[in-house]
Amino acid sequence: MTGKATMQALARLVPPGSRVLDLGCGDGAMLDYLQRERGCSGYGVEIADANVLACVQRGVDVMQLNLDEGLAMFGDNSFDVVLQIDTLQHLRNAETMLRETARVGRTGVVAFPNFAHWPNRLSVLRGRMPVTRRLPYQWYDTPNIRVGTYKDFEVLATKNSLRILDSFGLQDGQETRWLPNARAGTAVFHFERA
């Protein structure tokens, strides 16, 4: 997920000066933005060599770890905010990592492709898996091993005793609060342990 408007919408959920853990941080752009614009500190976690190098080149502290192996190296409430931006749908143990996010951080922010967005629904009605700007891969070569919807996450949060502090959709960098399950390509949730 890229774009300044998208970063600003997500950054709004991170209090200035927060200690942040960015899981699946990619090239470190979000953490770099939070450090520059919100005075945050913290670490990125990434597995891909090229992304780890990009983080280092940006000056973002990064650890190379496989998130499917968990976050045992971090204590409870080690961070003010834990981010999972476009990460959850890639994980084999998504529910476990969600609980770990809530354990390690005082709050968590999750953003993922919303499979219930109306263009996706239309594709499925036509008998095809969606290929959109937000889901740009064919079904046979996608890195996403899970698909979920805005409403699915609400159910998962309740099941795992998470209190949703804020939630909205993002479409073309703009917040969507009215019918986000149908009108937004990205679902965004800010939560804490209940």
Side-chain angles (χ1 to χ4, degrees), residues 6-193:
T6 298
M7 277 199 214
Q8 288 172 336
L10 295 171
R12 180 182 63 74
L13 301 173
V14 180
S18 292
R19 185 166 156 77
V20 177
L21 180 63
D22 188 355
L23 302 175
C25 67
D27 64 6
M30 185 69 195
L31 197 50
D32 179 51
Y33 181 86
L34 291 171
Q35 289 170 342
R36 285 184 293 104
E37 302 296 326
R38 309 276 292 175
C40 295
S41 62
Y43 298 93
V45 175
E46 180 57 47
I47 193 168
D49 293 338
N51 283 338
V52 170
L53 179 59
C55 287
V56 171
Q57 290 170 337
R58 278 185 196 271
V60 170
D61 291 329
V62 63
M63 295 176 271
Q64 190 167 25
L65 299 171
N66 181 345
L67 291 175
D68 281 320
E69 295 173 5
L71 299 176
M73 74 287 300
F74 299 111
D76 294 358
N77 296 318
S78 297
F79 296 89
D80 298 312
V81 181
V82 177
L83 303 175
Q84 281 197 54
I85 310 302
D86 277 351
T87 302
L88 200 60
Q89 73 272 13
H90 299 284
L91 299 174
R92 296 196 187 292
N93 58 354
E95 186 174 10
T96 300
M97 279 308 298
L98 184 60
R99 286 193 301 265
E100 281 290 276
T101 295
R103 179 187 66 78
V104 169
R106 289 179 178 78
T107 67
V109 176
V110 173
F112 58 91
N114 175 27
F115 201 72
H117 187 214
W118 74 264
N120 300 338
R121 294 177 190 207
L122 187 58
S123 290
V124 172
L125 279 174
R126 291 178 176 157
R128 300 287 314 270
M129 289 297 285
V131 177
T132 64
R133 277 182 290 146
R134 190 68 182 96
L135 294 166
Y137 302 96
Q138 293 292 333
W139 67 270
Y140 52 83
D141 69 356
T142 181
N144 298 319
I145 61 173
R146 305 192 182 289
V147 293
T149 71
Y150 186 96
K151 291 291 185 186
D152 287 332
F153 189 86
E154 289 178 333
V155 171
L156 183 62
T158 299
K159 177 183 175 202
N160 285 280
S161 300
L162 302 177
R163 181 176 34 246
I164 296 172
L165 303 171
D166 194 9
S167 64
F168 52 90
L170 279 176
Q171 184 59 37
D172 299 323
Q174 301 299 311
E175 288 186 23
T176 302
R177 292 187 179 270
W178 183 69
L179 298 175
N181 200 42
R183 297 181 57 238
T186 300
V188 179
F189 290 87
H190 183 207
F191 59 91
E192 66 184 3
R193 281 181 280 179

